[in-house]
Amino acid sequence: MSIDFCWRPLDALPPGQPGRVMAIGGGRGLALRLRSLGIRPGAVVRTVAQGPWRGPVLLEVDGCRVALGRGIARRIFVQPLP
Amino acid sequence: MPGRPRPRHRPPDLRPALAVNVRRIALVGQPNSGKSTLFNALVGWRAVASNFPGTTVEVLRGRANLAGRPAEVVDLPGIYSLAAQDPAERVARDFLLGEQVDLIVNVVDASLLSRSLSLTLELAELGIPMVVCLNMADEAEHKGIRIEREKLAELLGVPAVATVAARGVGLPELLAALPEAKVPRPPRYSADLERALAAVEALLPQISGLGGLPPRHAAARLFSSEPLPEGTPAAVREEVARIREDLARCRGEDPALVLVDERHALAARLFREVARVEHARVGWRERLDDLLMHPLLAYPILALVLFLLFWLTFRVGSALEGLLSPALEGLSSAAARALGEGLLAQALAGALDGIWAGLAIALPYLLPFYLLLALLEDVGYLPRIGFLLDGLMHRLGLHGKSVIPFLLGYGCSVPAVLATRILEEERDRYVTAALAVLVPCAARTVVVFGLVGRFLGPAPALALYLGNILVIALAGRLLRRFLPGLGPGLILEIPPYRVPGVCTTLGKVWLRLREFLKVAWPILIGSSAVLALVEALGWEGGLNQAARFLTWPLGLPPESGIPLAFGVLRKELALIMLIQAFRTSDLGSVLTAGQMLVFTVFTMFYMPCLATLAALRRELGWRRALLVLLGTTGLALLLGLLARAVAVLV
């Protein structure tokens, strides 16, 4: 299976696939909040589960699990890692 | 806990000489790092400790005896950084900076060390003596993280101690380290950032209203996002803006983020120097989410868990009630006969009724319910329910984080209202608090199970819970129309699953039961005595007549007027007073099925009890608390009428 290495929003990262955070959209407050949970440009994240019906994304970052609403996950851009 | 000997809890006992005169010790750390567990271990059972971030939303104080000198130990809400973003974090920051704190115990979840060190470095800028407590050392080991404590202590310039607060491991060492606390070495940033911070620091004397903040911290704050205080000279204002802009231009990034990222980079370097990560063990706790968060299986499992919560409460509760009730009732009526006829004797008999009612009617349901809720909290399932219900909550104009206040609401509405502090947006807090008081608390569970459950069967009782959820959903949709706008969305840390510690869980159940025994039970006893007195004086007819405006449209017998009025003090009272008013605990013989249903529905929704109203006023203000009161009572009347109609039709 070939992996597409283009940036994509976090909610488009298939579960189990690791990705590197490249950019975070939105304001300073959101950026600070996400950074305090380890979600910052350069961090490696992995989707553990996705809630159905446009539900949130369960992420693993820095050995810790974080739930992000879909609206926030869409503003985080990741590059899939092999 | 798997068969290790648990050290007995010892009262703090310190080496005789404290280096500094420590009067106040603050426990500071990230959410869910175990501050409350440590606090309980230091001062005895005071704080509710659970496995979800944001359990503590207030400042809790306790006393410990440090080397014969009393010291105050303070448990603060968890903070990710000193740039507070929700009210719970603001409470912690304002306490730390506003009150005289002599010593910081930085409680760190050792299994999340790399992330936690950012806060440690930020605290190091405050210039307060500190000890680092590497808590949950067992979980770090499980994750394969090996920490060289001496090296960490040396690099930070403060003692570092490994603990497992839940089992009391490492507490003597922590206590022994307190006198060794030192002011930590503040972090050094890149040259350009250091220059910029120093330039802002030099301006501080010209800025008033920073209230004696540590200079480094004050500079960092002005530098990040905080607006300058009113009355700052325009020249200073411009100078600060220029320093920020210069840095922003050089780095191509918001100065606030530059600072946070540098601190993180320093923390990451520190982590690499003091810790090695060997391969982590992947056990059931990591795999459990594959099942419990499974897109298809998660929801049936959630429904089953919630069903079991109520079903087991009912089963155990009604069994206990059946066991206790006849004996205690017999005892109290025998006592009443022995006391005779006088006014005082009747009041005393009423008080006795209150005593047995608390023991035989309320406690049997409270005990299993609190125990099961505590288990859910400590396993770590609560935040996962937030994840699972995020989509549903969006339809109510809220997001998944609001699930935590809602679920706590099944225990008691007061902590539920306080827990809204974990929400970032004011509007979300208002809507969540207004809806959370509709969730039937344990006291209302006593009414539901003790009346509908006992006389109509468990199925109608469970149906009432489902109906309640439906009503909350509809009320949420309605509120969304009046209060549009939704915060940025769910950001919620999901802690690992943990095997609940027997001590932590039972301690929490005890804390909540103690609340019932200390506050609610005396109210129950006093109210029973008052009601007995009212009856002895022959006033109950008039009072019940006055409540007829409420009981008549609902089709309730006149005798239910006084019980509903007493229910405002405590919701269990509605049922207990009803039993007293009819002079029988076999309410099935005096009320029709429809009346029981209407009474229960009305009790479930009508105005929150006084303690909850006080909490609402504190969190939302008078006006909004009053609106919640009117709204819920109106809703209760409406639903009571609906229940009456349903009962007539069926």
Side-chain angles (χ1 to χ4, degrees):
Chain A
M1 193 183 79
S2 70
I3 304 171
D4 175 5
F5 289 102
C6 286
W7 292 15
R8 65 192 65 197
L10 182 58
D11 63 331
L13 195 68
Q17 163 85 51
R20 188 181 295 280
V21 176
M22 306 308 284
I24 298 176
R28 172 203 283 156
L30 181 63
L32 282 173
R33 194 44 145 189
L34 290 173
R35 271 165 165 77
S36 64
L37 289 161
I39 301 163
R40 61 183 72 239
V44 175
V45 300
R46 188 175 67 88
T47 311
V48 178
Q50 278 191 4
W53 309 302
R54 313 207 43 69
V57 176
L58 184 61
L59 277 188
E60 194 166 275
V61 53
D62 249 357
C64 152
R65 291 183 176 185
V66 180
L68 291 183
R70 204 51 83 96
I72 291 174
R74 263 203 306 264
R75 293 189 213 164
I76 301 171
F77 287 89
V78 293
Q79 184 181 40
L81 294 174
Chain B
M1 287 297 132
R4 284 196 211 178
R6 185 180 301 114
R8 260 172 12 97
H9 174 254
R10 281 195 278 170
D13 142 60
L14 280 195
R15 279 192 275 164
L18 277 174
V20 273
N21 190 11
V22 173
R23 281 183 305 263
R24 189 178 282 141
I25 301 174
L27 306 181
V28 188
Q30 296 204 336
N32 220 38
S33 58
K35 294 173 292 300
S36 297
T37 309
L38 186 64
F39 178 75
N40 284 338
L42 289 175
V43 306
W45 290 101
R46 291 284 175 77
V48 169
S50 302
N51 184 17
F52 63 87
T55 307
T56 308
V57 293
E58 308 181 87
V59 175
L60 296 172
R61 297 155 191 259
R63 298 222 140 261
N65 204 359
L66 301 188
R69 257 177 286 174
E72 190 180 40
V73 180
V74 181
D75 181 25
L76 296 179
I79 47 175
Y80 287 109
S81 80
L82 291 172
Q85 295 192 329
D86 63 49
E89 287 187 321
R90 265 198 292 283
V91 165
R93 184 187 69 179
D94 293 348
F95 185 91
L96 195 53
L97 297 170
E99 310 270 328
Q100 181 63 44
V101 172
D102 303 305
L103 200 162
I104 292 176
V105 174
N106 176 211
V107 184
V108 168
D109 177 350
S111 69
L112 296 172
L113 183 65
S114 77
R115 195 189 76 186
S116 312
L117 282 173
S118 281
L119 176 64
T120 306
L121 292 178
E122 202 174 359
L123 293 174
E125 292 179 341
L126 299 181
I128 301 174
M130 188 158 95
V131 170
V132 172
C133 168
L134 297 165
N135 196 25
M136 306 194 192
D138 52 343
E139 291 217 8
E141 205 171 299
H142 176 83
K143 278 191 175 177
I145 301 174
R146 301 222 166 276
I147 303 168
E148 289 178 58
R149 262 189 309 116
E150 281 80 30
K151 202 162 177 190
L152 180 66
E154 188 195 314
L155 290 170
L156 287 171
V158 302
V161 184
T163 61
V164 183
R167 292 208 306 265
V169 175
L171 290 182
E173 289 82 353
L174 175 65
L175 289 170
L178 293 183
E180 315 287 325
K182 290 189 185 64
V183 174
R185 205 167 287 137
R188 302 257 326 151
Y189 304 107
S190 324
D192 57 340
L193 187 53
E194 280 289 338
R195 258 199 310 278
L197 281 169
V200 177
E201 256 178 78
L203 293 171
L204 289 178
Q206 298 176 56
I207 305 171
S208 57
L210 290 174
L213 292 180
R216 218 348 127 82
H217 173 73
R221 233 156 115 171
L222 294 181
F223 204 68
S224 314
S225 45
E226 306 243 331
L228 289 162
E230 297 281 326
T232 308
V236 176
R237 234 170 242 283
E238 274 167 32
E239 185 61 13
V240 173
R242 192 190 57 76
I243 297 169
R244 283 166 62 161
E245 269 161 34
D246 277 355
L247 193 83
R249 199 160 343 99
C250 291
R251 297 290 193 101
E253 180 92 277
D254 187 329
L257 299 182
V258 171
L259 189 61
V260 169
D261 283 343
E262 279 233 355
R263 206 179 281 131
H264 168 75
L266 288 174
R269 201 162 75 202
L270 191 58
F271 177 75
R272 280 195 301 274
E273 279 186 48
V274 302
R276 265 175 310 128
V277 184
E278 290 154 9
H279 82 278
R281 272 179 282 167
V282 177
W284 61 272
R285 300 194 304 166
E286 287 71 28
R287 297 223 184 85
L288 200 54
D289 269 342
D290 295 342
L291 177 69
L292 295 185
M293 302 291 109
H294 188 275
L296 290 178
L297 296 176
Y299 293 91
I301 294 174
L302 173 62
L304 186 71
V305 166
L306 294 180
F307 170 78
L308 279 178
L309 172 65
F310 291 109
W311 190 77
L312 283 174
T313 301
F314 174 70
R315 278 287 156 215
V316 175
S318 54
L320 283 176
E321 190 189 346
L323 219 64
L324 288 171
S325 192
L328 285 167
E329 198 177 357
L331 218 63
S332 109
S333 56
R337 270 195 303 280
L339 280 167
E341 278 301 305
L343 209 57
L344 191 68
Q346 292 201 10
L348 259 175
L352 280 175
D353 273 344
I355 293 175
W356 82 257
L359 275 183
I361 299 175
L363 216 50
Y365 294 106
L366 293 180
L367 184 69
F369 185 76
Y370 283 153
L371 191 65
L372 291 168
L373 191 69
L375 281 176
L376 271 190
E377 286 177 17
D378 290 352
V379 165
Y381 194 55
L382 235 53
R384 286 170 168 87
I385 300 179
F387 171 83
L388 291 173
L389 295 186
D390 185 58
L392 180 75
M393 300 302 276
H394 272 279
R395 292 172 192 236
L396 310 187
L398 291 171
H399 57 71
K401 221 170 172 176
S402 299
V403 164
I404 288 178
F406 282 156
L407 288 173
L408 291 180
Y410 283 106
C412 173
S413 301
V414 174
V417 170
L418 294 187
T420 57
R421 288 188 190 171
I422 62 171
L423 302 171
E424 291 89 353
E425 303 292 318
E426 195 199 345
R427 174 234 170 240
D428 294 359
R429 287 197 291 276
Y430 180 26
V431 174
T432 306
L435 295 177
V437 298
L438 296 177
V439 173
C441 59
R444 283 172 268 180
T445 292
V446 170
V447 180
V448 174
F449 286 157
L451 192 61
V452 171
R454 183 163 165 211
F455 297 105
L456 304 181
L462 289 175
L464 278 179
Y465 281 94
L466 285 181
N468 175 271
I469 293 174
L470 193 70
V471 169
I472 291 173
L474 291 174
R477 291 203 62 106
L478 197 69
L479 275 182
R480 196 170 73 155
R481 295 199 159 214
F482 293 112
L483 295 161
L486 176 62
L490 176 72
I491 304 180
L492 179 61
E493 186 179 347
I494 309 283
Y497 291 105
R498 297 203 169 110
V499 179
V502 178
C503 269
T504 319
T505 308
L506 290 183
K508 182 159 55 180
V509 172
W510 165 239
L511 270 180
R512 289 175 178 162
L513 279 182
R514 195 177 64 180
E515 202 54 27
F516 171 79
L517 294 176
K518 262 173 59 181
V519 181
W521 210 20
I523 294 179
L524 250 62
I525 296 168
S527 305
S528 289
V530 169
L531 181 61
L533 214 56
V534 164
E535 284 177 345
L537 294 167
W539 291 351
E540 82 275 17
L543 288 174
N544 277 327
Q545 211 51 46
R548 218 42 199 138
F549 77 97
L550 205 65
T551 47
W552 180 75
L554 290 173
L556 293 172
E559 290 87 340
S560 59
I562 290 177
L564 284 177
F566 271 107
V568 174
L569 293 177
R570 287 283 308 184
K571 292 283 175 116
E572 302 101 332
L573 269 176
L575 177 64
I576 287 164
M577 298 283 109
L578 201 62
I579 292 171
Q580 210 177 335
F582 282 114
R583 294 169 195 288
T584 170
S585 65
D586 183 22
L587 292 170
S589 64
V590 286
L591 291 175
T592 67
Q595 284 173 330
M596 287 191 221
L597 204 64
V598 171
F599 186 86
T600 308
V601 166
F602 189 77
T603 309
M604 206 181 225
F605 292 102
Y606 84 127
M607 68 181 278
C609 70
L610 288 183
T612 308
L613 277 177
L616 282 171
R617 189 197 61 80
R618 202 160 64 137
E619 299 300 308
L620 306 176
W622 271 118
R623 207 179 62 86
R624 287 178 164 183
L626 203 66
L627 280 175
V628 172
L629 189 158
L630 291 176
T632 50
T633 310
L635 185 68
L637 209 54
L638 200 74
L639 292 167
L641 290 172
L642 194 71
R644 189 183 180 191
V646 168
V648 166
L649 289 175
V650 173

